[in-house]
Amino acid sequence: MMLSPTRACSPVTFHFRTQLCDDDRTVIDDSKVAGTPMEIVIGNMFKLDVWETLLASMRIGEVAEFWCDTIHTGVYPLVSKSMRRITEGKDPVDWHIHTCGMANMFAYHSLGYDDLDELMKEPKPLYFVLELLRVQQPSEYNRESWALSDEERLKVVPVLHGQGNKLYKQGHYQEATQKYKEAIICIKNVQTKKKAWEVQWLKLEKMANTLTLNYCQCLLRMEEYYEVIEHTSDIINQHPGVVKAFYLRGKAHLEVWNEAEAQQDFSRVLDLDPSMKKAVKKNLAVLTMRMEEKNQEDRDTYKGMF
């Protein structure tokens, strides 16, 4: 059985092996060696979205090898880090260190694994060897939206949106992301039946982007900065006039010490919406302060070394 568009949101279980494109085909990760197969939910905004596309082309029991360019592999180190921590019995997001200055910079730029740090610094094409083990039917997966018609799905979207906003205001960011994702899934299920870039499709796209940006606001609070950059960049690439996407990406770049990128995004915010001047000025002041702090720590650290 192959996955089809109608089976979006189906949980799939699979083994994977990730290899470098070098002469030795160096293995980075192997779920069989780790002893734990991977499970993701198709259409549930998995960070490494190319895996969803690849798995959807496979049949149960099939083993297939795929070569993927850097445009698809840039976030792999983040995914690998989470999977390795789970295999080690650790919290997959417990790597964030709440410090300041230079220590903070190094904390955000290190994933805790030398090979992944190298891949993050210099993304490379990768081979993925996937073995599809199981595909659950929607009826096996407890998701009420599958029982809804398209009309009912669109009616439940504002309800989920409101619930997500309420949870966000209460500081329950993880729970809010689930509500936003549920609403996005409902919209995407309907959108797949529309002709791309026509009026109805664009209306649904705007709704999904609004929810995705709310989702990104939660990720900022949860310190998942690279995922924010990924999702906002996707929106910007398709819709370069979305102010909030530039603003949230700028804040994420600020948090991971990408000074030039943050300044560019905030500058674009002002071009698109001059009324955001006060908020942008505040963020740029924070960025300037942090960079001055880092430069001073650099001077203190290397003083007298040469």
Side-chain angles (χ1 to χ4, degrees), residues 186-233:
C186 286
I187 292 171
K188 292 299 183 180
N189 277 327
V190 178
Q191 191 182 31
T192 57
K193 302 171 187 177
K194 306 296 182 181
K195 191 170 182 179
W197 300 104
E198 290 195 347
V199 174
Q200 289 301 315
W201 188 94
L202 287 169
K203 182 178 179 181
L204 294 169
E205 180 80 350
K206 184 176 181 180
M207 293 167 61
N209 286 343
T210 297
L211 286 157
T212 300
L213 293 172
N214 285 10
Y215 174 80
C216 287
Q217 283 185 291
C218 293
L219 294 179
L220 278 175
R221 295 286 189 171
M222 296 160 63
E223 301 180 352
E224 292 285 355
Y225 304 122
Y226 288 106
E227 190 173 353
V228 173
I229 293 170
E230 177 191 356
H231 288 306
T232 51
S233 295

Side-chain angles (χ1 to χ4, degrees), residues 1 7 9-11 134-142 146:
M1 180 179 68
R7 291 198 180 94
C9 307
S10 297
R134 183 173 183 232
V135 179
Q136 288 180 249
Q137 295 292 332
S139 59
E140 299 177 69
Y141 185 55
N142 184 23
W146 275 101

Side-chain angles (χ1 to χ4, degrees), residues 13-292:
T13 304
F14 61 99
H15 276 300
F16 71 93
R17 184 169 67 252
T18 306
Q19 298 172 292
L20 294 176
C21 299
D22 56 15
D23 292 339
D24 297 326
R25 294 288 291 270
T26 303
V27 176
I28 301 173
D29 293 300
D30 190 330
S31 63
K32 287 187 177 181
V33 173
T36 306
M38 184 72 178
E39 181 175 303
I40 65 174
V41 179
I42 298 296
N44 203 23
M45 299 181 73
F46 183 61
K47 289 179 183 178
L48 192 65
D49 56 3
V50 69
W51 272 7
E52 296 189 13
T53 303
L54 301 180
L55 290 164
S57 71
M58 297 175 63
R59 297 183 181 276
I60 293 176
E62 181 181 0
V63 179
E65 179 180 279
F66 302 92
W67 177 88
C68 292
D69 203 352
T70 53
I71 191 173
H72 298 298
T73 63
V75 299
Y76 181 78
L78 300 173
V79 174
S80 177
K81 181 259 315 181
S82 295
M83 293 186 294
R84 290 185 187 186
R85 290 185 65 84
I86 291 171
T87 301
E88 295 165 3
K90 300 176 182 177
D91 184 340
V93 296
D94 193 31
W95 64 289
H96 295 296
I97 302 172
H98 299 279
T99 56
C100 62
M102 183 176 253
N104 199 27
M105 178 183 70
F106 284 124
Y108 286 129
H109 279 271
S110 176
L111 299 177
Y113 303 93
D114 291 342
D115 57 340
L116 299 184
D117 286 342
E118 185 63 29
L119 269 182
M120 179 64 74
K121 180 181 178 181
E122 186 179 350
K124 299 176 181 178
L126 297 173
Y127 284 108
F128 295 121
V129 181
L130 306 179
E131 180 181 356
L132 184 57
L133 302 176
R134 183 173 183 232
V135 179
Q136 288 180 249
Q137 295 292 332
S139 59
E140 299 177 69
Y141 185 55
N142 184 23
R143 183 176 290 279
E144 293 181 1
S145 63
W146 275 101
L148 303 178
S149 66
D150 286 351
E151 183 179 358
E152 289 169 329
R153 285 192 179 105
L154 293 180
K155 285 182 178 179
V156 81
V157 166
V159 175
L160 292 167
H161 192 167
Q163 291 172 342
N165 289 350
K166 183 177 180 179
L167 287 165
Y168 177 84
K169 290 176 181 177
Q170 293 172 343
H172 303 309
Y173 306 121
Q174 184 66 53
E175 293 86 345
T177 62
Q178 297 305 314
K179 296 296 182 182
Y180 294 139
K181 285 195 290 187
E182 183 76 20
I184 292 167
I185 288 166
C186 286
I187 292 171
K188 292 299 183 180
N189 277 327
V190 178
Q191 191 182 31
T192 57
K193 302 171 187 177
K194 306 296 182 181
K195 191 170 182 179
W197 300 104
E198 290 195 347
V199 174
Q200 289 301 315
W201 188 94
L202 287 169
K203 182 178 179 181
L204 294 169
E205 180 80 350
K206 184 176 181 180
M207 293 167 61
N209 286 343
T210 297
L211 286 157
T212 300
L213 293 172
N214 285 10
Y215 174 80
C216 287
Q217 283 185 291
C218 293
L219 294 179
L220 278 175
R221 295 286 189 171
M222 296 160 63
E223 301 180 352
E224 292 285 355
Y225 304 122
Y226 288 106
E227 190 173 353
V228 173
I229 293 170
E230 177 191 356
H231 288 306
T232 51
S233 295
D234 286 344
I235 291 175
I236 289 167
N237 289 338
Q238 293 291 324
H239 309 281
V242 181
V243 179
K244 189 174 180 180
F246 281 104
Y247 183 71
L248 294 179
R249 191 173 72 172
K251 288 180 72 69
H253 278 308
L254 184 157
E255 294 292 346
V256 295
W257 298 86
N258 294 338
E259 181 182 13
E261 291 85 348
Q263 289 177 337
Q264 288 172 2
D265 280 342
F266 288 134
S267 176
R268 186 62 178 144
V269 169
L270 289 180
D271 290 341
L272 293 168
D273 186 358
S275 70
M276 294 283 289
K277 182 177 180 179
K278 185 176 180 180
V280 168
K281 185 177 180 180
K282 180 179 179 181
N283 280 283
L284 289 175
V286 171
L287 178 63
T288 299
M289 179 183 68
R290 290 187 179 182
M291 296 311 298
E292 288 176 352

